Amino acid sequence: MSAAEFDYEFILEDEFDAISLGKKRSDDEILSGKYPAKNHARKVAHELGVDKGIVYLVGEPERLFPDSDQGPKFRQQRYFYYLSGVDYAGCTVTYDIAHDNLVLWIPYTEPKKSHWFGSTPSTAQAARLYDADQVHYASDLAGYITSLPAAATVYALHPDQRPPQLVQHQSFRSRSSDGPKIDTTALKPAMNRAREVKDSYEIALIRRANDISSAAHRRVAQALLRMTNESQLQAVFEAVCTSRDAHSQAYPVIAGAGPNGATLHYGANNAPLKGSANIVLDAGCEYRCYASDVTRTLPISGSFSPRAAAISDIVTRMQNECIALMRPGKFFYEIHQHAGHVAVDGLLKLGILRGTREELIAAGTVSAFFTHGLGHHVGLEVHDVVGDAPLLMSAASETVGGVLRRGKRTMMTPKKLLAMNRISQATAAEKQRTVLRAGMILTIEPGLYFNREYLEGFFREDPVHSKLIEWDVVERYYPVGGSRTEDCILVTESGHENLTTAPKEQELLDVINGRHGSKPRK
Ligand code: GLY
Ligand code: MN
Ligand code: MN
C-alpha cells in the first residue's frame, strides 16, 4: 500500500483510555477552575526574596512573516503565561509585590477586526476568566508605568523586555537613578525556581497532555501493521491529538525507522518502513501550554528481531529501575549513572562491550551507546526550566548559545560521564540544589543507539574506548538503529507516579498485534 492509499480512519471513542476515572474526575474538577496565576505570582515574589517591586512580563505580540500578511502559529511566552494563564496575543501582566496586586493588561479588539479574526475578551470577561486582581486595557499601561514612584524597582526578564516608557524616560534624563530602577537579572532565576516544582493545577494539565499523547501512541500501535511509511505514524499521532483538543505538539514528532532511530532529533519522517526492524516514535502534544513527552519503540513487523528484542530488554530494565528510584531526596545524576550501569551489564552480556564492568565504568565507554541525559523537567516547555543547578550537575552540562542544555539535551560523552562520576563532597551545596522534590515532573528516557557515524568517527579511533567495544558484534546491531522508551514521572511525597499511560512492553506488542484482553496500564 502506498502512503497515499493509507486508511486514516481512526477510533475516536475513549474505549482504551487508561486513565482511572477517579483521577480524571479530580483533574476535571481542578481544571474547571482558573489557572492559578495569583499563586504563581506570590511564589515568584517569594523566590525573588523581596517585599516590594513590580514584576513586569510581556506576552507574545501578534507577528507576521516579513513581507507577508500571514504569520507563525501563535505560541504564548511561557514566563508570561505562568503569571497570567492567558493564551492570546498582545497582553502584559504586572504584579505589585507590596500590594499583592496582579494586573492584566489586555488589547481592545475593534468590532471590524473581530469580524475577521474573532473577538478577544473584554475587561469584564477577562476578569471572570483569569485569576487577576484587576484587568485593564493595554492602552492604560503606559500611564501606570510612568506613574510608578521613582524609588520603585521593576523586575523584567531581559533587557529587551524593559517597559519602553521607562527606557525612554531614563535615556532622556540620561541618569537611571532618576526613575524607577529596572532589574533584568533577578526575575528569570526566581521564576525558574518557582516553575521547577509544579502545583496541582499544573500536574493536572501535564497529566491531561500525557493522556492525550498516550491515546495517540495507542492508536498508532493499533494501526502500525497497516502502515508503510514514517509519515503515517506522524499523521495518525497528530490527528488523534488534534481531535482531542490538543492542537499543538510540544516538539516536532520524531518517527525514525531503522537507522533513522539512531538520530536523536530526526525529523524528516518520510522514509518507507520496509526494510527496517524498529521505529522510534517520540511524540507528545501540549495541552493548554503544558507539555508531554513520550517515546515508544515499535517493532514494524509486530515482533522484535532477536537483536532488537535484546536491546529493547536492556532499555526496559534501565527505565524500570530508574523509575523505581524516583523519590524526594534523590539526585537525578545518580539515577542517570544507575541507568548507565544497567546498560554496561546488558551490553557486556551481549558481547557489544568487552573488558570488566569496573574498567568500563571507569572509562565511561557506555556513552557510546547511551548518548544523552536520562531525562529533563517537563512543564510549560518540553525541556522545562531548571532552578539553580542543572539536573546532571554542572560538570556534565553545557551551554549552547548562552542557553543551558537541559537534561537529555546534554550530549553524554565519556568525559562528561566521568566528570559526573567524580562529583565529590566539595560540591555538596551544589548537589543539594539539584535534589528531587515532590511536585517535580521529569522524563525517564533511557535509550541505546547504534549510530555508525558517531561510533566510528568518535570511538573507533580512540585508544581507550576502541579496545572496550567489540566492533564485529556492533556491526550486527547497526540495523537495530535506536531504542528508547520515555515516560513523564511525577515525584510525589511517597515516591513517584507515572503520568504516561501509553502501552509499553508486552502490552504494546499485544496492541500492535490486535490481541485483545490486554489490560491498559494504570
Ligand atoms: N522529545 C524530545 C526529548 O525527548 O527530549
Ligand atoms: Mn524527553
Ligand atoms: Mn521525547
Side-chain angles (χ1 to χ4, degrees), residues 1-4 6 224 226-230 232 271-274:
M1 196 184 341
S2 74
F6 180 72
L224 181 70
R226 289 182 287 134
M227 292 181 173
T228 54
N229 192 286
E230 294 169 348
Q232 294 161 346
L273 304 185
K274 202 168 170 194

Side-chain angles (χ1 to χ4, degrees), residues 251 254 282-283 293-295 376 382-383 408 443 445 484 486:
Y251 52 94
I254 298 165
D282 185 345
D293 191 3
V294 180
T295 307
H376 49 86
V382 61
H383 299 140
K408 181 196 173 194
T443 63
E445 51 174 309
R484 176 166 72 255
E486 174 173 32

Side-chain angles (χ1 to χ4, degrees), residues 9 58 158:
E9 279 286 310
V58 186
H158 314 285

Side-chain angles (χ1 to χ4, degrees), residues 63-369:
R63 290 183 201 275
L64 292 180
F65 295 127
D67 306 316
S68 171
D69 68 353
Q70 300 297 307
K73 187 170 154 71
F74 180 75
R75 186 179 191 268
Q76 187 56 281
Q77 299 264 344
R78 285 350 201 195
Y79 290 97
F80 167 82
Y81 190 87
Y82 189 70
L83 250 61
S84 68
V86 175
D87 195 18
Y88 64 93
C91 305
T92 300
V93 68
T94 55
Y95 179 55
D96 180 333
I97 295 170
H99 298 99
D100 189 29
N101 192 30
L102 187 67
V103 184
L104 197 54
W105 307 86
I106 60 172
Y108 170 71
T109 303
E110 288 175 45
K112 69 171 187 246
K113 194 175 164 198
S114 73
H115 173 57
W116 284 95
F117 302 108
S119 195
T120 54
S122 66
T123 50
Q125 287 166 328
R128 284 194 294 277
L129 288 170
Y130 304 112
D131 186 23
D133 297 300
Q134 294 171 35
V135 182
H136 299 298
Y137 286 114
S139 48
D140 294 335
L141 177 59
Y144 169 74
I145 295 292
T146 48
S147 66
L148 287 172
T153 300
V154 174
Y155 294 95
L157 268 191
H158 314 285
D160 63 4
Q161 281 207 9
R162 289 174 298 176
Q165 303 81 6
L166 290 188
V167 177
Q168 279 163 16
H169 168 85
Q170 287 180 355
S171 57
F172 171 67
R173 298 189 193 190
S174 75
R175 279 192 311 145
S176 58
S177 56
D178 283 352
K181 183 168 163 266
I182 310 176
D183 182 318
T184 56
T185 58
L187 183 58
K188 200 169 182 182
M191 290 195 75
N192 290 349
R193 286 193 292 276
R195 282 174 56 179
E196 198 175 39
V197 173
K198 277 68 182 172
D199 58 35
S200 56
Y201 200 99
E202 296 178 287
I203 292 167
L205 287 174
I206 297 170
R207 192 189 277 111
R208 183 62 49 90
N210 270 278
D211 287 341
I212 296 168
S213 295
S214 295
H217 272 276
R218 179 176 289 275
R219 184 66 195 111
V220 169
Q222 286 168 337
L224 181 70
L225 297 184
R226 289 182 287 134
M227 292 181 173
T228 54
N229 192 286
E230 294 169 348
S231 59
Q232 294 161 346
L233 282 87
Q234 176 179 345
V236 170
F237 188 89
E238 290 179 344
V240 175
C241 294
T242 308
S243 71
R244 290 177 181 236
D245 205 23
H247 296 262
S248 298
Q249 296 296 311
Y251 52 94
V253 170
I254 298 165
N260 294 338
T263 298
L264 294 182
H265 285 177
Y266 174 73
N269 301 346
N270 59 2
L273 304 185
K274 202 168 170 194
S276 289
N278 294 340
I279 182 158
V280 174
L281 176 63
D282 185 345
C285 67
E286 62 181 41
Y287 183 74
R288 288 166 57 182
C289 294
Y290 278 80
S292 59
D293 191 3
V294 180
T295 307
R296 293 292 180 262
T297 302
L298 305 99
I300 288 166
S301 70
S303 57
F304 285 117
S305 68
R307 289 196 186 100
I311 297 302
S312 168
D313 285 350
I314 301 173
V315 172
T316 297
R317 221 172 316 133
M318 290 162 82
Q319 202 207 26
N320 288 339
E321 291 192 20
C322 289
I323 291 175
L325 291 172
M326 293 286 282
R327 58 178 168 272
K330 283 297 260 188
F331 296 110
F332 198 68
Y333 82 95
E334 288 178 346
I335 304 180
H336 177 101
Q337 287 172 319
H338 182 80
H341 298 166
V342 174
V344 167
D345 293 339
L347 295 174
L348 260 175
K349 229 182 191 158
L350 295 182
I352 292 170
L353 290 175
R354 49 193 294 208
T356 65
R357 184 179 203 265
E358 292 65 37
E359 216 177 337
L360 284 159
I361 291 173
T365 308
V366 75
S367 55
F369 304 98

